[in-house]
Amino acid sequence: MPVTALDKKTALVLIDLQKAIVSRPLAPHPAADVLVNSAALVGAFRKAGQPIVIVNVIPGERPASARSDFKMPPMQFLKEWADIVPEIEVKDNDILITKHTWNAFYNTALDEKLKEQGVTGIVMAGIATSIGVEGTARAAHERGYNLTFASDAMTDMNEKAHENSLTVIFPRIGEVDTTQAVIGLLN
């Protein structure tokens, strides 16, 4: 469903646009395109005076499932691993959230910080569509936020998973459109 409206108080939530993640093989959109569109959203949200949330991930202790066949390989994290890429200019008044699971609401202050600013709507973008973006979107939907997805400002490591999120999951919990369509409504 194309975007029809944005709430008076809508936050931009950018998921995991950090050095280690944008350097991975991505599909269907290359990281460079996602960053250009995400930076355009940041500029438009700043101009409109709307809140910007920048989320990074540092995998850590998280609930485990004995029935999952996915095991996180042991990793050594460099300090720069979680740094937000320079294309996304972080400002002092941005809301910075570090998550440790797919969902940026889980064990973080994200919901509290959005409510403090009276936010009722969220525009989502980032990497990976089917993991961090979808995990956070599902939690936002459960909390009653009105969701909009900037389809060309997100990508994944798995093209089929990306398409499933955009065509099956996201239309059930919000509206999906392009960066330019979102910016057009923001203005």
Side-chain angles (χ1 to χ4, degrees):
M1 172 188 282
V3 64
T4 59
L6 295 176
D7 291 11
K8 182 178 177 183
K9 196 66 166 185
T10 297
L12 173 64
V13 176
L14 298 177
I15 301 293
D16 302 344
L17 296 178
Q18 61 195 69
K19 291 179 180 178
I21 292 177
V22 301
S23 66
R24 299 183 72 176
L26 301 168
H29 306 295
D33 293 351
V34 169
L35 294 176
V36 165
N37 290 325
S38 295
L41 287 166
V42 168
F45 270 73
R46 287 201 202 295
K47 184 177 178 186
Q50 297 287 4
I52 297 170
V53 178
I54 299 174
V55 178
N56 70 348
V57 61
I58 299 175
E61 294 300 317
R62 58 182 171 198
S65 169
R67 294 188 180 147
S68 172
D69 62 358
F70 177 78
K71 302 296 182 225
M72 185 73 155
M75 295 182 177
Q76 295 227 336
F77 295 102
L78 301 175
K79 179 184 178 295
E80 308 82 40
W81 190 86
D83 290 350
I84 301 301
V85 294
E87 293 88 341
I88 306 302
E89 189 178 347
V90 179
K91 300 278 189 178
D92 289 341
N93 60 337
D94 292 339
I95 299 169
L96 304 176
I97 299 291
T98 295
K99 63 184 178 78
H100 304 285
T101 67
W102 292 4
N103 167 6
F105 286 93
Y106 183 77
N107 280 343
T108 72
L110 179 55
D111 193 42
E112 176 185 330
K113 291 187 177 290
L114 292 174
K115 286 182 176 163
E116 284 173 3
Q117 295 197 30
V119 170
T120 58
I122 294 174
V123 171
M124 302 233 21
I127 303 171
T129 309
S130 67
I131 301 173
V133 177
E134 185 175 318
T136 300
R138 286 173 181 254
H141 177 70
E142 290 169 351
R143 287 165 174 77
Y145 291 99
N146 295 313
L147 295 171
T148 302
F149 301 92
S151 61
D152 55 356
M154 60 181 72
T155 195
D156 207 294
M157 283 71 75
N158 181 310
E159 190 168 354
K160 287 181 182 178
H162 170 84
E163 289 303 320
N164 185 71
S165 294
L166 282 178
T167 62
V168 178
I169 304 300
F170 294 166
R172 295 182 75 177
I173 61 176
E175 297 179 326
V176 180
D177 215 327
T178 65
T179 295
Q180 288 309 309
V182 171
I183 289 173
L185 284 176
L186 193 60
N187 296 332

